[in-house]
Amino acid sequence: MQSLALSLGRTGGALLFALICCTSLVCAQNEADQTDVIRVNTELVQTGVMVFDKRGKFVDGLKPEQFELRVDGKPVAFSFFDRVTAWTDREERQLAAANTPGRPAPVNESAEPVTRGRTVIFFIDDLHLSLESIGRTRSAVNHFLDQEMSPLDQVAIASASGQIGFLQQLTDNKAVLRAALARLKVFPYVVRDNDTPPMTEYIAIRILNGDLDTMNYYADELLHRSFRPAKGINRDAIYQTIKNRANQILMGLENVTTTSLGSLENLMDTTGRIPGRKLIFYISDGFYLDGKNTVAAANDRLRRVINAATRTNSVIYTIDARGLFAPIADATGDRPFDPTGRLDRANIGEGTLSQDGLNALAGDTGGRFLKNQNYWETWVDRMLDETSNYYLLAWRPAADEQKKTDFRRIEVTIAGRPDLTVRLPRGFLSSAPKSNPRAVEVKATIPDTAIPAAAAAKGPESALKAALGAPSARKGLPTQISVTFLDVPGSGPVLTVASQMDTAGLGYGTDGKTAAAVDLAGIVLNDQGKQAGSFKTRVTVSPVSSVAGGESSSVIYTHKLPLKPGLYQVRVASRDSVNGKVGSAAQWIEVPDLSARQLTLSTLLLGGEVVGSNQKQATEQMQFSVDHRFRRASHLNFLTIIYNGAHGTNGAPALDARVQIFRNGKAVITGPTRKVVTDGTTDLARIVHGADFTLQNLPPGRYLLQVTVSDRIAKTVATQQAAFSIE
C-alpha cells in the first residue's frame, strides 16, 4: 500500500454557496475523442467462441488455422480472427475491425487493455417463478451487488412481465438496482382450466404426446362423474374432449413462454447497441417450450433468442431458481387423487422436462445451465470470469443463404483437439424476424409528456427528442454529464446538472471563424419515469482557433433545480445546429432524505477550479470536473458536504475521515484517518470537507475515489465514491 499525503483545509461557506449559485459556460480541456456507435453489418456475422479444457479452463494461444467453422454442415472461411478480452477498450477496437472487411486487427498492442467494466443483465422470468424462488433470487442478486459488482460495471435487472418498469436499465448505480429488485412480486403464471379432475400443464403435454395411460385415467374419471354406464359410450369422443381440454391449457402455456422468451429477445435487441460482450443470467423455475417435442432446439421462439445472442454478442447462463427439488414437484399443489398410480407414473420426469428449456437456452447461446443448487451466489461470479475471454470470428454467409429465412446452424470445432469443449451461439436467422406482438418491451421508455415542449417539435428538434429517449448514448457529438446534489438552507436538496460537449468537431462556418451553436435539452425523471424537471437552451461556442494554443476544448453548461428526496435519472441531449451531430448522456442519482437524521455525504465534487471573478461578480465561482479526467502530472482535489453529524456535549461534532483510491477492486492508496476540522465553521449542519493530492505516482487508468466519514459520537459511518481517470 502506498501512503497518501493529503493537503487538508477548511473551505468557507462562500465557496459552497458560490458553487450552488453558479450557472456559467466554461472552456475546459477534453483529452479523449470518442468514436461513434459501432454499427453491425447485417450481412456479416461475428461469432464469439469460448474454448475450454477438461478442467474448465480457457484455452489460450490457439491459432486461426485450428478453428473449423461450419454452417449447416458446410465449411465456411472466416475473414477475421482475434483473441479478445471482454469488457476492455481493446475489445471495442477489435469488434470494429471485425465489422470492416480488410481492416486488420489491433494486434501487438503493448499497453495493458483498460478495463471498462462488465455488462451484466439479470433477466428474471417472473412468469415462471414461485414465491420461494423470488426470495432466493433476491438473495443471490443482492450478494452480487454487495460483494461482486464493481463501480465500472453496467448492470440491469429486468423481468419477463415488465413489472420492474422504468428501472429496467443498465446502470452503475446500486440504489437503482436495489429499487428494481424490490419491485419483484409473485406473478400468477400457472395455466389451468376449471374442469375436474385438475389437469396440470405437464399432464396436458403427456396427453398430447400420446400417453394412453394418462388419457384413460381422465376418461374413467369423466365416466365415473357422469354416473353413466361405460357400455355404449363412445370412448373416442371422450378422448377428443380430453385432448381439447389439454390443447386449451397448452395454448395458454405457450403464450406465457412466448411472452417470456420474446421479452428476452427484445432486451437483447435493445442492449445490442452497446459494443462488447453482454452476459445474461436467465433465472426461472423452468418452462416447457411447446406441447410436442419439447426439447426442440429448432423451436421458433428459441431460434429467435439464439439469433439475437449471435447478433448482439450475448451469452446466456440459465439458473433453475428452485434449487434442489423433488422430481415430481408441482408448483400448483393441485393434483387429482389417483389410487391406481397412473398419474404418478406419468409425472415421472416432470422436473427434468421443465429444465429442458433452460438447458437448451443456455447451451445454444454459448452459456451453461445451473440446476439442483440451493446456493448459487458464487456461481455468478465464476461465470463472469469464465466469459471474460473468447475468440472472435467474423464471416459472411453465402449469397444464396442470405435470401432464405431459415435458421442456419453454426458449428465450430478445433482441429485435432476432440478433448476441448467449444461453446458459442449455435445459429442465426438469415433475415430479420418479425416482431413478437406478445413480448413485453423490456426497456425504459420515456413518454412524450416527459420531453420538453420545444424538443418535441418536428424538424431538427426531433433529433433531441430521439436522443433523449434512446436506450443507449448517442456519440455523434461527444457529451458527458455530472449530476450532484447539495442541501441548501431554506431550499432543501438542489440538483446540479453539468453538461459537457466536445467542441472540436462543431460547425464553425465555411471559413472556420463563425461561432457555433449547440442546442441542449435535458429532462429529470423519477423512478416511475415521470418528469420531475427539464431544461432547454442554446449554447454559443467560439471557434476552436480562439482557444489558447489551439487545443481541443469543450463547453460546459450548468443547470440547477430543487428536488425532493428520491431516485432520479437525468438525461441530456445535445445537437450541433450546423452539422446536425447529436450526442447524449444519462446518469442516475439518489437524493437522500436528510430529515431521517442519518450521517450523509453529498456527491463528491472533483477537480474544482476558480473560473470567474470580475466586476459583475462579487464572489468567485467554482467549476468542478464533469468528465473526471485528469493528467498524471496534475493534482486532484475533492469536496464533499457532511450532513447530520451528531453533536457532543460541547455542541461540536466529532468526525473522522479517510480517503482511499482503488483500481480494479484493489486499494492502491489508503490515507490515514484524520480528524475533520470544524473550528470556525458557522453551519455545523453542513460541514464542508475536502482534500488535495498528487496523481504523479499513479499510472494511467481508471480509478475509484472513496471517502469514508465516521461519527465517533453516533457510532455511524457514511461513504461516498466517485470514478476518475488518469491520462
Side-chain angles (χ1 to χ4, degrees):
M1 298 289 182
Q2 301 182 44
S3 62
L4 177 65
L6 298 178
S7 174
L8 292 169
R10 287 177 288 135
T11 306
L15 174 60
L16 170 62
F17 292 109
L19 166 69
I20 296 171
C21 299
C22 174
T23 304
S24 60
L25 298 178
V26 187
C27 287
Q29 296 296 324
N30 185 7
E31 310 292 342
D33 185 18
Q34 301 181 23
T35 58
D36 203 352
V37 177
I38 297 174
R39 299 188 183 279
V40 177
N41 183 343
T42 57
E43 296 181 354
L44 193 69
V45 179
Q46 295 183 7
T47 303
V49 181
M50 295 182 291
V51 184
F52 302 95
D53 60 21
K54 291 182 178 180
R55 298 176 299 170
K57 302 295 184 181
F58 180 80
V59 180
D60 217 334
L62 296 176
K63 306 300 182 183
E65 56 268 19
Q66 295 178 266
F67 285 74
E68 297 178 348
L69 170 65
R70 291 181 175 84
V71 178
D72 289 340
K74 299 178 181 180
V76 174
F78 44 88
S79 58
F80 181 93
F81 175 90
D82 205 2
R83 158 63 162 88
V84 180
T85 299
W87 306 306
T88 63
D89 59 341
R90 188 177 299 173
E91 180 190 28
E92 295 189 29
R93 295 193 292 272
Q94 291 168 306
L95 292 170
N99 193 52
T100 307
R103 181 176 176 179
V107 296
N108 300 325
E109 296 186 81
S110 58
E112 180 182 353
V114 177
T115 301
R116 59 174 176 80
R118 304 167 296 187
T119 304
V120 184
I121 300 169
F122 292 94
F123 184 89
I124 315 299
D125 181 20
D126 53 348
L127 300 178
H128 300 99
L129 213 60
S130 68
L131 176 62
E132 293 79 10
S133 294
I134 284 181
R136 279 189 286 270
T137 299
R138 282 203 186 99
S139 175
V141 177
N142 272 321
H143 174 85
F144 172 80
L145 299 181
D146 293 336
Q147 305 295 329
E148 310 296 346
M149 181 179 172
S150 81
L152 300 179
D153 291 342
Q154 290 289 315
V155 180
I157 299 174
S159 68
S161 69
Q163 65 174 298
I164 294 176
F166 185 69
L167 298 181
Q168 297 184 152
Q169 300 185 56
L170 285 166
T171 179
D172 59 357
N173 191 307
K174 293 184 180 181
V176 176
L177 297 170
R178 290 193 175 94
L181 201 58
R183 289 186 179 180
L184 280 177
K185 301 292 187 296
V186 176
F187 199 97
Y189 68 92
V190 177
V191 179
R192 62 164 71 92
D193 56 19
N194 295 321
D195 290 344
T196 55
M199 182 182 293
T200 66
E201 299 167 350
Y202 178 72
I203 290 299
I205 291 174
R206 292 297 301 261
I207 289 172
L208 292 180
N209 278 280
D211 187 333
L212 189 59
D213 207 23
T214 304
M215 177 79 80
N216 283 327
Y217 165 78
Y218 280 89
D220 292 345
E221 285 296 308
L222 286 178
L223 288 173
H224 175 72
R225 292 171 186 273
S226 66
F227 299 101
R228 289 184 292 177
K231 186 177 181 179
I233 295 295
N234 186 342
R235 202 167 183 88
D236 288 340
I238 294 178
Y239 286 165
Q240 189 58 49
T241 299
I242 296 170
K243 288 181 180 179
N244 290 341
R245 181 183 173 191
N247 262 318
Q248 289 296 319
I249 293 175
L250 263 294
M251 287 177 61
L253 180 153
E254 291 176 5
N255 284 339
V256 172
T257 303
T258 296
T259 298
S260 179
L261 294 181
S263 300
L264 175 62
E265 179 191 0
N266 286 341
L267 172 68
M268 288 192 289
D269 287 342
T270 300
T271 58
R273 297 174 178 267
I274 302 170
R277 168 150 286 195
K278 275 74 68 177
L279 182 56
I280 301 173
F281 291 100
Y282 186 99
I283 304 172
S284 174
D285 279 353
F287 58 87
Y288 309 109
L289 287 176
D290 59 15
K292 294 184 178 181
N293 303 318
T294 301
V295 190
N299 180 276
D300 178 64
R301 293 182 293 278
L302 190 56
R303 287 174 172 175
R304 293 167 64 109
V305 173
I306 298 169
N307 173 70
T310 301
R311 302 289 189 182
T312 62
N313 196 7
S314 300
V315 180
I316 300 175
Y317 284 78
T318 54
I319 298 174
D320 191 334
R322 292 170 292 187
L324 291 170
F325 68 96
I328 59 172
D330 178 27
T332 67
D334 190 16
R335 292 184 179 276
F337 176 70
D338 176 26
T340 65
R342 286 175 290 183
L343 288 186
D344 288 340
R345 291 192 297 273
N347 281 312
I348 294 176
E350 177 180 3
T352 302
L353 192 63
S354 68
Q355 291 179 333
D356 283 341
L358 294 174
N359 189 43
L361 182 59
D364 283 344
T365 58
R368 284 204 282 161
F369 171 40
L370 179 69
K371 61 180 179 179
N372 302 331
Q373 297 288 330
N374 283 336
Y375 305 100
W376 34 274
E377 291 91 344
T378 57
W379 188 80
V380 171
D381 189 55
R382 293 203 309 272
M383 295 309 100
L384 283 164
D385 289 339
E386 176 181 285
T387 318
S388 62
N389 299 293
Y390 64 97
Y391 293 95
L392 179 64
L393 282 64
W395 49 279
R396 192 180 302 278
D400 59 336
E401 291 181 351
Q402 296 185 34
K403 298 177 182 179
K404 301 176 182 179
T405 58
D406 294 341
F407 184 78
R408 325 305 296 176
R409 298 289 298 180
I410 304 174
E411 180 185 6
V412 174
T413 56
I414 309 301
R417 298 294 305 272
D419 57 309
L420 300 182
T421 299
V422 181
R423 296 213 306 269
L424 71 155
R426 295 290 180 179
F428 69 101
L429 294 170
S430 298
S431 61
K434 295 181 180 179
S435 62
N436 183 351
R438 288 192 294 268
V440 177
E441 289 289 331
V442 188
K443 62 182 181 181
T445 57
I446 299 179
D448 288 342
T449 54
I451 307 295
K458 296 181 179 179
E461 297 292 352
S462 63
L464 287 174
K465 176 184 175 182
L468 285 173
S472 58
R474 301 286 177 85
K475 297 184 179 180
L477 175 57
T479 302
Q480 296 179 333
I481 61 173
S482 175
V483 185
T484 61
F485 87 90
L486 294 173
D487 185 72
V488 181
S491 299
V494 172
L495 203 67
T496 300
V497 182
S499 307
Q500 177 175 308
M501 290 74 66
D502 182 66
T503 59
L506 295 179
Y508 295 103
T510 56
D511 58 359
K513 298 180 180 180
T514 305
V518 176
D519 292 322
L520 189 69
I523 52 175
V524 181
L525 306 168
N526 63 17
D527 61 352
Q528 300 295 327
K530 296 182 179 180
Q531 180 181 339
S534 66
F535 62 90
K536 187 178 185 297
T537 189
R538 169 166 284 196
V539 181
T540 302
V541 185
S542 300
V544 174
S545 58
S546 66
V547 179
E551 296 182 356
S552 176
S553 65
S554 60
V555 63
I556 298 176
Y557 175 80
T558 304
H559 179 80
K560 312 177 305 299
L561 69 160
L563 285 175
K564 63 181 181 180
L567 196 59
Y568 298 93
Q569 185 185 52
V570 179
R571 294 190 176 197
V572 171
S574 60
R575 180 182 180 276
D576 186 333
S577 63
V578 175
N579 59 33
K581 292 182 179 179
V582 175
S584 65
Q587 183 179 327
W588 285 92
I589 187 169
E590 184 177 23
V591 178
D593 183 3
L594 297 181
S595 65
R597 310 307 300 171
Q598 297 286 332
L599 182 68
T600 305
L601 303 184
S602 73
T603 310
L604 294 182
L605 307 169
L606 307 185
E609 294 181 352
V610 177
V611 298
S613 179
N614 53 43
Q615 295 178 352
K616 296 182 179 180
Q617 297 172 335
T619 60
E620 294 181 339
Q621 296 182 356
M622 290 292 295
Q623 176 64 59
F624 291 90
S625 173
V626 176
D627 58 15
H628 289 185
R629 291 192 178 100
F630 303 95
R631 292 182 179 274
R632 188 178 181 184
S634 66
H635 282 246
L636 173 62
N637 61 69
F638 75 86
L639 182 72
T640 187
I641 315 299
I642 305 172
Y643 303 106
N644 292 334
H647 293 183
T649 55
N650 61 352
L655 304 171
D656 294 325
R658 186 179 66 169
V659 176
Q660 291 176 286
I661 296 179
F662 295 84
R663 187 180 189 189
N664 296 329
K666 298 181 179 180
V668 295
I669 290 180
T670 298
T673 300
R674 296 179 182 272
K675 179 182 178 181
V676 176
V677 180
T678 59
D679 297 342
T681 301
T682 58
D683 187 0
L684 293 178
R686 300 168 181 83
I687 300 171
V688 181
H689 176 69
D692 179 277
F693 52 92
T694 181
L695 301 177
Q696 62 183 0
N697 294 325
L698 296 175
R702 301 281 299 273
Y703 294 88
L704 181 74
L705 171 66
Q706 178 173 294
V707 178
T708 303
V709 174
S710 303
D711 189 327
R712 298 195 302 272
I713 298 174
K715 308 299 182 184
T716 56
V717 176
T719 301
Q720 193 65 269
Q721 297 177 330
F724 68 95
S725 299
I726 300 177
E727 300 176 344

